[in-house]
Amino acid sequence: MKEAKEIVEIFNSDPDLPSLTPELVRSLYTMLCRIDASTTKTGICAILLLAFNELSLLRAIFTLWPEYSGVDNYPIKAPAYLDMSPSDAYFFFSKTSSMWHRDAIYGAARLRLWSFCISVLEDLLQYYRDVGTYTLSSSK
């Protein structure tokens, strides 16, 4: 639940971000749950063709992931044995079967990120239920 509260704070403190609503959270959650890691061959953002609001929320979640690369568009670090930037690693692994493979270092990291995003969104949905309001960003 710590990350969910951090997301609320991020969205409430940045006037350039869209309003954080249960509908936005639910929309991104539904999209992420539809990803089939056994068949997909691209990154989370590219699979979903996200609108600005969903992409903003997803990128905010990326920054809270303990393994975050520091690069919004390429949140997964290259394995240490490859001297590559996160973007180079993405393009390298997108041409292999290791992109989402749980036994590959890079693929396992992608699965952990995906799982982390879903977990944060579930916590956000629970937060909305606990608070009993749909106006967490009413200060905007």
Side-chain angles (χ1 to χ4, degrees):
M1 189 65 80
K2 177 186 88 146
E3 289 89 359
K5 290 180 181 177
E6 288 182 55
I7 292 292
V8 171
E9 290 173 15
I10 289 168
F11 273 74
N12 283 341
S13 66
D14 189 340
D16 294 329
L17 289 174
S19 293
L20 185 62
T21 65
E23 292 78 21
L24 172 58
V25 174
R26 200 172 299 111
S27 171
L28 181 57
Y29 177 77
T30 300
M31 289 182 212
L32 284 177
C33 287
R34 288 184 182 149
I35 293 175
D36 183 351
S38 66
T39 61
T40 191
K41 301 198 185 313
T42 189
I44 294 170
C45 298
I47 293 168
L48 302 175
L49 299 172
L50 298 170
F52 174 77
N53 292 356
E54 284 86 2
L55 186 57
S56 297
L57 177 53
L58 186 62
R59 286 183 175 162
I61 295 170
F62 287 167
T63 66
L64 301 177
W65 185 46
E67 299 174 57
Y68 179 58
S69 71
V71 181
D72 285 348
N73 291 327
Y74 305 98
I76 300 168
K77 296 175 187 173
Y81 67 88
L82 294 173
D83 188 22
M84 291 183 174
S85 68
S87 61
D88 288 343
Y90 171 83
F91 290 108
F92 175 80
F93 285 104
S94 68
K95 295 177 176 89
T96 72
S97 61
S98 300
M99 184 74 160
W100 286 83
H101 197 283
R102 70 177 194 269
D103 293 332
I105 293 171
Y106 188 83
R110 182 168 299 282
L111 289 166
R112 287 191 302 275
L113 173 59
W114 180 44
S115 177
F116 177 80
C117 292
I118 288 172
S119 175
V120 170
L121 291 167
E122 287 171 344
D123 286 350
L124 271 169
L125 290 170
Q126 183 61 49
Y127 182 79
Y128 278 111
R129 285 190 289 272
D130 291 348
V131 170
T133 181
Y134 289 95
T135 58
L136 287 177
S137 58
S138 60
S139 62
K140 289 192 177 186

PDB file of all heavy atoms in Angstrom, residues 17 30 60 68 77 82 85 93 96 111 120 131-132 137:
ATOM      1  N   LEU A  17       0.174  16.379 -14.459  1.00  0.00           N
ATOM      2  CA  LEU A  17      -0.353  15.021 -14.573  1.00  0.00           C
ATOM      3  C   LEU A  17      -1.875  15.064 -14.598  1.00  0.00           C
ATOM      4  O   LEU A  17      -2.488  15.968 -14.038  1.00  0.00           O
ATOM      5  CB  LEU A  17       0.125  14.166 -13.402  1.00  0.00           C
ATOM      6  CG  LEU A  17       1.613  13.802 -13.411  1.00  0.00           C
ATOM      7  CD1 LEU A  17       1.996  13.090 -12.131  1.00  0.00           C
ATOM      8  CD2 LEU A  17       1.963  12.964 -14.625  1.00  0.00           C
ATOM      9  N   THR A  30      -7.036  -3.149 -16.027  1.00  0.00           N
ATOM     10  CA  THR A  30      -7.675  -4.075 -16.978  1.00  0.00           C
ATOM     11  C   THR A  30      -6.757  -4.349 -18.166  1.00  0.00           C
ATOM     12  O   THR A  30      -6.604  -5.490 -18.598  1.00  0.00           O
ATOM     13  CB  THR A  30      -9.025  -3.500 -17.450  1.00  0.00           C
ATOM     14  OG1 THR A  30      -9.862  -3.323 -16.304  1.00  0.00           O
ATOM     15  CG2 THR A  30      -9.710  -4.421 -18.445  1.00  0.00           C
ATOM     16  N   ALA A  60       4.606   6.574 -13.759  1.00  0.00           N
ATOM     17  CA  ALA A  60       4.761   6.905 -12.339  1.00  0.00           C
ATOM     18  C   ALA A  60       4.990   5.638 -11.523  1.00  0.00           C
ATOM     19  O   ALA A  60       5.814   5.620 -10.596  1.00  0.00           O
ATOM     20  CB  ALA A  60       3.537   7.661 -11.834  1.00  0.00           C
ATOM     21  N   TYR A  68      14.022  -0.144 -11.075  1.00  0.00           N
ATOM     22  CA  TYR A  68      13.838   0.851 -12.132  1.00  0.00           C
ATOM     23  C   TYR A  68      15.169   1.328 -12.724  1.00  0.00           C
ATOM     24  O   TYR A  68      16.098   1.659 -11.997  1.00  0.00           O
ATOM     25  CB  TYR A  68      13.053   2.031 -11.566  1.00  0.00           C
ATOM     26  CG  TYR A  68      12.787   3.155 -12.523  1.00  0.00           C
ATOM     27  CD1 TYR A  68      12.108   2.947 -13.719  1.00  0.00           C
ATOM     28  CD2 TYR A  68      13.201   4.447 -12.223  1.00  0.00           C
ATOM     29  CE1 TYR A  68      11.846   3.998 -14.586  1.00  0.00           C
ATOM     30  CE2 TYR A  68      12.936   5.504 -13.074  1.00  0.00           C
ATOM     31  CZ  TYR A  68      12.259   5.268 -14.266  1.00  0.00           C
ATOM     32  OH  TYR A  68      12.007   6.314 -15.123  1.00  0.00           O
ATOM     33  N   LYS A  77      16.520  -2.500 -16.691  1.00  0.00           N
ATOM     34  CA  LYS A  77      17.962  -2.410 -16.909  1.00  0.00           C
ATOM     35  C   LYS A  77      18.428  -3.581 -17.777  1.00  0.00           C
ATOM     36  O   LYS A  77      17.859  -4.665 -17.741  1.00  0.00           O
ATOM     37  CB  LYS A  77      18.716  -2.473 -15.584  1.00  0.00           C
ATOM     38  CG  LYS A  77      18.432  -1.326 -14.666  1.00  0.00           C
ATOM     39  CD  LYS A  77      19.127  -1.549 -13.331  1.00  0.00           C
ATOM     40  CE  LYS A  77      18.721  -0.490 -12.340  1.00  0.00           C
ATOM     41  NZ  LYS A  77      19.232  -0.762 -10.995  1.00  0.00           N
ATOM     42  N   LEU A  82      25.808  -7.503 -20.158  1.00  0.00           N
ATOM     43  CA  LEU A  82      25.730  -6.742 -21.400  1.00  0.00           C
ATOM     44  C   LEU A  82      25.979  -5.274 -21.079  1.00  0.00           C
ATOM     45  O   LEU A  82      25.329  -4.705 -20.220  1.00  0.00           O
ATOM     46  CB  LEU A  82      24.344  -6.878 -22.044  1.00  0.00           C
ATOM     47  CG  LEU A  82      23.950  -8.253 -22.545  1.00  0.00           C
ATOM     48  CD1 LEU A  82      22.500  -8.243 -22.993  1.00  0.00           C
ATOM     49  CD2 LEU A  82      24.855  -8.690 -23.693  1.00  0.00           C
ATOM     50  N   SER A  85      22.650   0.274 -22.742  1.00  0.00           N
ATOM     51  CA  SER A  85      21.673   1.165 -22.110  1.00  0.00           C
ATOM     52  C   SER A  85      20.344   0.415 -22.014  1.00  0.00           C
ATOM     53  O   SER A  85      20.144  -0.593 -22.704  1.00  0.00           O
ATOM     54  CB  SER A  85      21.497   2.420 -22.964  1.00  0.00           C
ATOM     55  OG  SER A  85      20.855   2.083 -24.188  1.00  0.00           O
ATOM     56  N   PHE A  93      16.564  -7.369 -26.891  1.00  0.00           N
ATOM     57  CA  PHE A  93      15.743  -8.484 -26.425  1.00  0.00           C
ATOM     58  C   PHE A  93      14.404  -8.582 -27.147  1.00  0.00           C
ATOM     59  O   PHE A  93      13.804  -9.658 -27.185  1.00  0.00           O
ATOM     60  CB  PHE A  93      15.547  -8.420 -24.910  1.00  0.00           C
ATOM     61  CG  PHE A  93      16.772  -8.834 -24.163  1.00  0.00           C
ATOM     62  CD1 PHE A  93      17.583  -7.891 -23.565  1.00  0.00           C
ATOM     63  CD2 PHE A  93      17.139 -10.170 -24.095  1.00  0.00           C
ATOM     64  CE1 PHE A  93      18.735  -8.267 -22.888  1.00  0.00           C
ATOM     65  CE2 PHE A  93      18.288 -10.561 -23.429  1.00  0.00           C
ATOM     66  CZ  PHE A  93      19.089  -9.601 -22.823  1.00  0.00           C
ATOM     67  N   THR A  96      14.429 -11.313 -29.603  1.00  0.00           N
ATOM     68  CA  THR A  96      14.723 -12.666 -29.110  1.00  0.00           C
ATOM     69  C   THR A  96      13.501 -13.249 -28.405  1.00  0.00           C
ATOM     70  O   THR A  96      12.519 -12.555 -28.151  1.00  0.00           O
ATOM     71  CB  THR A  96      15.892 -12.643 -28.095  1.00  0.00           C
ATOM     72  OG1 THR A  96      15.433 -12.062 -26.876  1.00  0.00           O
ATOM     73  CG2 THR A  96      17.087 -11.875 -28.625  1.00  0.00           C
ATOM     74  N   LEU A 111       8.831  -9.530 -16.226  1.00  0.00           N
ATOM     75  CA  LEU A 111       7.704 -10.152 -15.517  1.00  0.00           C
ATOM     76  C   LEU A 111       7.553  -9.583 -14.109  1.00  0.00           C
ATOM     77  O   LEU A 111       6.433  -9.364 -13.637  1.00  0.00           O
ATOM     78  CB  LEU A 111       7.875 -11.670 -15.478  1.00  0.00           C
ATOM     79  CG  LEU A 111       7.680 -12.376 -16.820  1.00  0.00           C
ATOM     80  CD1 LEU A 111       8.193 -13.811 -16.749  1.00  0.00           C
ATOM     81  CD2 LEU A 111       6.226 -12.345 -17.237  1.00  0.00           C
ATOM     82  N   VAL A 120       0.547  -2.659  -7.583  1.00  0.00           N
ATOM     83  CA  VAL A 120       0.329  -1.259  -7.192  1.00  0.00           C
ATOM     84  C   VAL A 120      -1.073  -0.813  -7.583  1.00  0.00           C
ATOM     85  O   VAL A 120      -1.765  -0.148  -6.810  1.00  0.00           O
ATOM     86  CB  VAL A 120       1.401  -0.338  -7.814  1.00  0.00           C
ATOM     87  CG1 VAL A 120       1.041   1.134  -7.626  1.00  0.00           C
ATOM     88  CG2 VAL A 120       2.773  -0.636  -7.222  1.00  0.00           C
ATOM     89  N   VAL A 131     -10.936   4.488   1.285  1.00  0.00           N
ATOM     90  CA  VAL A 131     -11.187   5.910   1.497  1.00  0.00           C
ATOM     91  C   VAL A 131     -12.655   6.223   1.251  1.00  0.00           C
ATOM     92  O   VAL A 131     -13.220   7.123   1.856  1.00  0.00           O
ATOM     93  CB  VAL A 131     -10.266   6.757   0.583  1.00  0.00           C
ATOM     94  CG1 VAL A 131     -10.664   8.212   0.584  1.00  0.00           C
ATOM     95  CG2 VAL A 131      -8.818   6.601   1.017  1.00  0.00           C
ATOM     96  N   GLY A 132     -13.266   5.474   0.344  1.00  0.00           N
ATOM     97  CA  GLY A 132     -14.685   5.668   0.062  1.00  0.00           C
ATOM     98  C   GLY A 132     -14.981   6.917  -0.721  1.00  0.00           C
ATOM     99  O   GLY A 132     -16.079   7.457  -0.665  1.00  0.00           O
ATOM    100  N   SER A 137      -7.853  13.422  -6.033  1.00  0.00           N
ATOM    101  CA  SER A 137      -7.105  14.518  -6.642  1.00  0.00           C
ATOM    102  C   SER A 137      -7.963  15.792  -6.672  1.00  0.00           C
ATOM    103  O   SER A 137      -7.825  16.616  -7.560  1.00  0.00           O
ATOM    104  CB  SER A 137      -6.669  14.131  -8.044  1.00  0.00           C
ATOM    105  OG  SER A 137      -7.786  13.811  -8.830  1.00  0.00           O
TER     106      SER A 137
END
